[in-house]
Amino acid sequence: MTAGQPLRADPQQRRHSPPALHPAVVPSYPPPESDNDESWVWAQIKAEARRDADAEPALASFLYATVLSHPSLERSLSFHLANKLCSSTLLSTLLYDLFVGSLAAHPTIRAAAVADLLAVRSRDPACAGFSHCLLNYKGFLAVQAHRVAHVLWAQNRRALALALQSRVAEVFAVDIHPAAAIGKGILLDHATGVVIGETAVVGDNVSILHHVTLGGTGKAVGDRHPKIGDGVLIGAGATILGNVLIGAGAKIGAGSVVLIDVPPRSTAVGNPARLIGGKKGDDMPGESMDHTSFIQQWSDYTI
């Protein structure tokens, strides 16, 4: 294989594949609770890929090579990430082996990827399907690559972890330090310009929009980045600096600059951000994607 050349589907698999893809009925959403999430999601992805290959012949080869020729979600994801992130000096075969090995050895990474797929599908009305997220959502792909880089960092393979971080930043415009801890059920919506620093922690079921920075203040050392609780929603262009705690179920308004702790289930808006009253009930903004319910408390400006 030439350096940087993308992986191709196994020719043995191609030789025995059917000459034409059969129409498929896409399963309904969401899956029954009794079903295994990973098996259900993978079945959904394959059904969508067959449907799309039949409807759009120009994509048939791509969908076969990326999805339909693979026996599992982990191999399809590894193949796709390897082709996306390879370069003339970072070979796709090396990356494929790295991703497959990490996903096989760490079931929690596979479970987190499935949780992310379910999160994107349920929270983003523009997401046309699970296969659309797997193949086209760079925020989803960036987070999956980060999880592998995080494993490498923990194994003290830091040069490779940083090289992978660099490729993710170049290809997806998402810069997550491999030491940062990221939970499951994560949505990076649009994702362009997201920056997450070395000692940052992001909880479960968090939604982050484009151009969000979880950064340091520029002078602190050691543990110096934000800690984001479960179910938090961070609006587009928000900047959170320093070792501050954003409590579970909190909401950070778009364009806000946050330099202090934000209590659970409260909202911070403005530059510098100020707090608006807490919120009762079971709603978690990171899951409901409620961006604007605070407006009347924050401003009397109307159009």
Side-chain angles (χ1 to χ4, degrees):
M1 175 176 289
T2 305
Q5 181 179 344
L7 287 168
R8 300 186 184 278
D10 186 345
Q12 294 297 324
Q13 290 178 315
R14 183 180 294 276
R15 183 176 297 122
H16 297 293
S17 62
L21 298 170
H22 300 292
V25 177
V26 176
S28 60
Y29 177 85
E33 291 182 0
S34 59
D35 282 1
N36 177 273
D37 281 349
E38 183 174 350
S39 298
W40 186 90
V41 169
W42 177 233
Q44 174 85 329
I45 289 169
K46 289 190 294 183
E48 292 172 358
R50 292 189 188 100
R51 177 201 62 196
D52 293 344
D54 286 339
E56 185 52 78
L59 292 176
S61 294
F62 167 71
L63 291 168
Y64 178 82
T66 310
V67 175
L68 297 173
S69 66
H70 298 283
S72 64
L73 174 59
E74 66 186 80
R75 290 190 175 270
S76 174
L77 176 59
S78 297
F79 180 92
H80 191 42
L81 281 173
N83 278 320
K84 284 283 190 182
L85 297 174
C86 68
S87 69
S88 59
T89 54
L90 197 58
L91 303 184
S92 58
T93 49
L94 181 152
L95 289 174
Y96 177 74
D97 290 343
L98 176 65
F99 291 134
V100 165
S102 297
L103 289 167
H106 298 86
T108 55
I109 298 180
R110 298 199 308 273
V114 172
D116 293 350
L117 285 164
L118 290 166
V120 176
R121 187 69 179 94
S122 64
R123 296 178 210 164
D124 185 358
C127 183
F130 291 103
S131 62
H132 177 49
C133 176
L134 171 67
L135 299 175
N136 302 321
Y137 269 46
K138 65 180 185 177
F140 169 78
L141 294 171
V143 170
Q144 309 323 308
H146 162 76
R147 291 199 174 104
V148 174
H150 187 67
V151 167
L152 294 172
W153 188 267
Q155 294 172 342
N156 208 32
R157 301 174 68 185
R158 298 190 171 183
L160 183 54
L162 291 169
L164 189 55
Q165 175 199 3
S166 177
R167 283 301 295 159
V168 170
E170 290 175 23
V171 174
F172 299 131
V174 175
D175 193 356
I176 308 175
H177 193 283
I182 307 291
K184 63 182 184 295
I186 303 299
L187 167 61
L188 298 189
D189 198 1
H190 302 290
T192 300
V194 169
V195 176
I196 299 178
E198 179 180 8
T199 61
V201 176
V202 177
D204 296 337
N205 302 314
V206 172
S207 293
I208 299 174
L209 274 79
H210 48 290
H211 293 293
V212 164
T213 297
L214 306 181
T217 61
K219 56 185 178 181
V221 295
D223 192 358
R224 62 195 183 279
H225 294 101
K227 311 298 181 284
I228 310 300
D230 295 345
V232 169
L233 172 62
I234 306 177
T239 299
I240 307 174
L241 300 178
N243 188 12
V244 298
L245 176 62
I246 309 301
K251 184 188 307 184
I252 310 300
S256 299
V257 177
V258 180
L259 305 173
I260 59 173
D261 291 352
V262 176
R265 309 193 66 79
S266 57
T267 298
V269 293
N271 181 5
R274 60 186 178 92
L275 298 178
I276 294 175
K279 186 176 182 181
K280 298 179 180 179
D282 298 328
D283 175 66
M284 297 295 273
E287 299 179 58
S288 68
M289 303 298 289
D290 175 15
H291 287 272
T292 59
S293 61
F294 64 86
I295 288 294
Q296 289 183 342
Q297 296 176 349
W298 179 53
S299 173
D300 58 3
Y301 176 76
T302 58
I303 298 177

